[in-house]
DNA sequence: CATCCTTTACGAAAAGTTTCGTAGTTCCCC
DNA sequence: GGGGAACTACGAAACTTTTCGTAAAGGATG
């Protein structure tokens, strides 16, 4: 069962690794983590254990090296965090957030096309 | 001088109040805060003092009741938080974030138009 | 089977955030 | 000018998050 509480920044880093690389051992997660920042093995282990208690991850204990995987959906968390940001920093104005995001980024042609399609679709439904 | 560090959730709540209502006394901030959640007066005071030390807010001590105002720009914080979210939860794909935001919201006709204009402008610059 | 390596478990320190009690100051008003 | 109300300052408690040291268990190997 997915959790409805916002993961911390560190937890999110780990979730990102699990979403991207699928089920992984502590060792694997730690190595990925260390590509970005120095992190002790037991630190990573402890994080995963805590996340396990919070039901943020599941684990398979069949092997000696437990295998962890994300217990929550990436889309759900994206929505959760986006909604929160929208509310706390953008006073609920999604359009404003979108304008900011587009302004500060450099979307590819394909991405632009996708966004336009979505806009057209929204307008069509509106009629 | 603006800060480059992410404000905490509580700090953001207070900043929001200051951005919206302009320079305010502790009392005023506390009252606004209490519309949302019970918060002791000294708690709010302490938060503002801490934020002052972090240079998140400025204060005018001329009057007996100090008057606080945001020392950082709303746009800057929006950008900071958005960039962070983009990186940590959306793997850097702004288009993906935008699609999520548009999908979960209900933008007005005017907002849709503004977004489209920005898209067109981006495409024009691209050429 | 003694030793080494990998791994888990656990407690606790370190760091950061939030809340609040208490004390002291200033100002007002009777 | 004494007492109370409105404030500020400050320290410390309560929590949460992050990091890591140490112990112990499991497995592999000479």
């Amino acid at each position: 069962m997915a959790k409805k509480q916002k993961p911390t920044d560190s937890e999110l880093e780990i979730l990102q690794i699990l979403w991207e690389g699928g089920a992984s051992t502590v060792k694997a997660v730690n190595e990925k983590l260390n590509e970005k920042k120095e992190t002790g093995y037991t630190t990573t282990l402890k994080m995963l254990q805590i996340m396990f208690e919070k039901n943020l991850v599941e684990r398979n204990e069949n092997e000696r090296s437990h295998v962890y995987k994300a217990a929550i959906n990436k889309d759900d968390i994206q929505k959760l965090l986006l909604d929160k940001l929208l509310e706390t920093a953008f006073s609920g104005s999604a359009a404003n957030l979108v304008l900011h995001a587009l302004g500060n980024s450099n979307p590819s042609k394909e991405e632009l096309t996708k966004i336009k399609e979505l806009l057209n679709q929204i307008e069509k439904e509106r009629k």
Side-chain angles (χ1 to χ4, degrees), chain A:
Chain A
M1 194 52 59
K3 276 298 291 279
K4 273 302 148 217
Q5 212 203 339
K6 191 172 89 160
T8 67
D9 286 349
S10 294
E11 287 168 350
L12 196 54
E13 279 180 346
I14 289 178
L15 285 172
Q16 196 70 257
I17 288 171
L18 294 177
W19 283 325
E20 202 171 303
S24 313
T25 61
V26 175
K27 192 180 172 194
V29 171
N30 185 241
E31 277 164 6
K32 278 266 177 60
L33 226 37
N34 271 276
E35 289 171 9
K36 283 203 170 184
K37 63 171 187 184
E38 189 134 329
T39 310
Y41 181 89
T42 52
T43 301
T44 303
L45 172 65
K46 182 68 166 185
M47 282 302 302
L48 282 165
Q49 287 170 341
I50 289 171
M51 290 169 76
F52 177 65
E53 279 166 22
K54 292 187 184 176
N55 292 310
L56 288 173
V57 298
E58 295 164 4
R59 76 178 172 194
N60 182 330
E61 306 181 11
N62 290 347
E63 300 299 314
R64 183 151 110 77
S65 301
H66 299 173
V67 174
Y68 289 84
K69 70 171 190 182
I72 51 180
N73 195 270
K74 180 164 179 172
D75 270 15
D76 288 347
I77 292 297
Q78 286 181 332
K79 175 166 177 8
L80 188 72
L81 295 176
L82 198 50
D83 286 353
K84 178 122 190 173
L85 183 65
L86 197 53
E87 190 192 318
T88 59
F90 288 84
S91 316
S93 164
N96 207 260
L97 186 153
V98 167
L99 291 173
H100 264 261
L102 286 177
N104 291 146
S105 75
N106 212 357
S108 70
K109 195 166 179 146
E110 291 72 27
E111 288 175 321
L112 286 176
T113 305
K114 249 195 283 180
I115 294 170
K116 280 186 152 184
E117 276 171 13
L118 181 59
L119 286 176
N120 287 332
Q121 194 184 318
I122 290 175
E123 287 192 328
K124 211 173 288 175
E125 283 169 6
R126 196 62 62 80
K127 285 178 184 159

